Amino acid sequence: MLGAVVIGIGTAGCVRIRDMLVPLRGSPAEKLAVKGFISRRSLEPQQGVSRISLEEALGRDDVHVAFICTENMSHEDNVRMFLQAQKHVCVEYPMTMSYKAAVELWDLAEEKGVILHEEHIELLTEEYKQLKKEVEGKTLQEGTLHFTGGALKPGFGFPSFSGIARLTWLVELFGELSVSAATLEEDPANSYSKMTAKLLTSDNRSLTWIEERQPGLPRAKNINFQFDSGPLTQIPPAPRGTVGLFMQDLIHFSAKLAGQVSPEELQRERVRVLHCLELAGKIQELCQG
Ligand code: NAD
């Protein structure tokens, strides 16, 4: 068994504890045993799991794995501490707020001989899987992905990083991208922000990614993809899967811990994660430049 701790008891952290307490039967997630959680708040036990100190988690021999579920801005420091202590790390996306820091963390994981995994539940949704099927084999002319959502809490960072799930969709659907322009409109008085990034595919097809947020805006993803064969303007409806998204991610992570994921697959994920973080950094630079 591998002992695990959860850092950050928000929505994601609570789900991590729940899933480790009741893992999918017959899956490699059964090999994880939650030993405690770490919080800046002095919380009572959560789901029967007790709070422990950061120092204890880093020092204990029966803690092998850390789940970093804090707000985005503190992921990097937490990941680094646990990798230094030679613990495997699963971090909720985005891993860091810069490409350079993510490269350093991945190098550190390699040096320490541990797994570094970034959760990407957006790639595990049935709607994404259905969309991927629809897009496969089609030639893109141009497209838009427009996300709307409510305001984010502090600590979630620049929209190209907090919205990396949408960027990851575009990269997984259309391959390596480059950034040609990006702007950010803000109206602080109304907590409004709209980031517009102009992206290009490797064969110079234009993709526009918009992240628009304001309190009360419905959480939605609108697409408009123009293909040689015609348009796709709606994400195809898909029934909900039987296994929860975080559970699917937990199984994938624990398969990595069990050595069941090929080096080629690990490398493919690393390249994709770093590519998205690099794009997010360029978008931020252009918006702030
Ligand atoms: P959250 O706001 O629920 O929790 C974030 C952090 O805030 C946690 O460290 C939590 O301990 C802390 N926190 C929450 N309430 C607090 C309070 N009252 N006082 C002090 N600290 C408090 O955020 P989340 O949705 O759990 O997101 C955490 C990470 O997971 C983020 O990196 C996010 O990108 C990622 N993520 C979340 C989801 C999701 O569905 N929630 C999905 C994918 C990725």
Side-chain angles (χ1 to χ4, degrees):
M1 292 298 283
L2 294 172
V5 290
V6 174
I7 299 90
I9 302 299
T11 310
C14 290
V15 172
R16 291 305 189 177
I17 293 179
R18 181 199 73 193
D19 286 353
M20 275 190 277
L21 291 173
V22 191
L24 187 74
R25 285 180 73 184
S27 79
E30 285 187 316
K31 290 274 179 286
L32 289 166
V34 58
K35 299 285 180 188
F37 70 83
I38 294 154
S39 176
R40 288 155 287 186
R41 292 171 286 164
S42 43
L43 296 173
E44 292 301 306
Q46 301 285 307
Q47 305 172 62
V49 175
S50 299
R51 179 170 177 242
I52 63 171
S53 71
L54 177 66
E55 294 67 33
E56 187 183 343
L58 290 167
R60 261 168 69 166
D61 288 341
D62 66 340
V63 171
H64 311 94
V65 178
F67 286 82
I68 312 297
C69 308
T70 56
E71 63 277 11
N72 298 342
M73 301 290 256
S74 60
H75 287 180
E76 179 186 334
D77 290 347
N78 280 307
V79 171
R80 185 173 289 111
M81 268 188 289
F82 280 93
L83 291 179
Q84 289 283 14
Q86 215 155 4
K87 315 288 186 195
H88 303 288
V89 171
C90 169
V91 55
E92 308 299 340
Y93 67 69
M95 175 180 298
T96 59
M97 306 311 275
S98 85
Y99 165 76
K100 189 169 158 278
V103 172
E104 282 168 19
L105 293 180
W106 235 305
D107 289 347
L108 180 60
E110 229 164 64
E111 184 194 316
K112 296 285 180 183
V114 292
I115 294 286
L116 173 59
H117 168 81
E118 187 182 52
E119 163 268 317
H120 276 285
I121 55 170
E122 76 282 5
L123 298 176
L124 305 171
T125 61
E126 294 306 311
E127 63 170 2
Y128 170 74
K129 291 173 192 164
Q130 207 51 44
L131 181 62
K132 176 91 180 156
K133 273 191 213 151
E134 284 279 338
V135 166
E136 237 150 38
K138 292 185 176 156
T139 308
L140 182 77
Q141 291 175 339
E142 61 174 336
T144 300
L145 170 59
H146 183 168
F147 171 84
T148 60
L152 277 180
K153 290 182 233 171
F156 280 77
F158 196 77
S160 55
F161 286 92
S162 59
I164 202 118
R166 267 71 70 188
L167 184 57
T168 304
W169 263 30
L170 291 176
V171 165
E172 279 287 299
L173 291 172
F174 301 112
E176 203 167 293
L177 301 174
S178 56
V179 188
S180 60
T183 54
L184 180 69
E185 289 167 51
E186 280 183 302
D187 175 5
N190 292 305
S191 306
Y192 175 80
S193 73
K194 183 180 183 185
M195 182 195 80
T196 305
K198 296 280 181 193
L199 306 165
L200 288 173
T201 64
S202 58
D203 52 357
N204 273 330
R205 303 297 167 162
S206 151
L207 275 172
T208 305
W209 169 34
I210 302 169
E211 285 278 305
E212 190 175 17
R213 286 189 176 272
Q214 188 167 33
L217 266 188
R219 194 178 167 88
K221 283 191 278 292
N222 296 295
I223 58 166
N224 188 333
F225 296 144
Q226 299 293 326
F227 295 104
D228 282 356
S229 54
L232 181 65
T233 55
Q234 281 200 331
I235 297 173
R240 226 189 155 99
T242 47
V243 179
L245 298 176
F246 279 97
M247 182 66 86
Q248 290 183 49
D249 179 69
L250 188 69
I251 293 168
H252 186 43
F253 173 53
S254 38
K256 289 181 182 179
L257 298 178
Q260 295 169 359
V261 177
S262 71
E264 293 74 29
E265 171 64 14
L266 294 176
Q267 179 60 12
R268 205 186 81 80
E269 269 186 48
R270 176 186 165 135
V271 167
R272 190 247 298 141
V273 167
L274 289 177
H275 178 55
C276 290
L277 289 171
E278 194 170 23
L279 291 174
K282 283 189 183 145
I283 293 169
Q284 181 174 12
E285 260 174 49
L286 287 170
C287 287
Q288 295 176 337

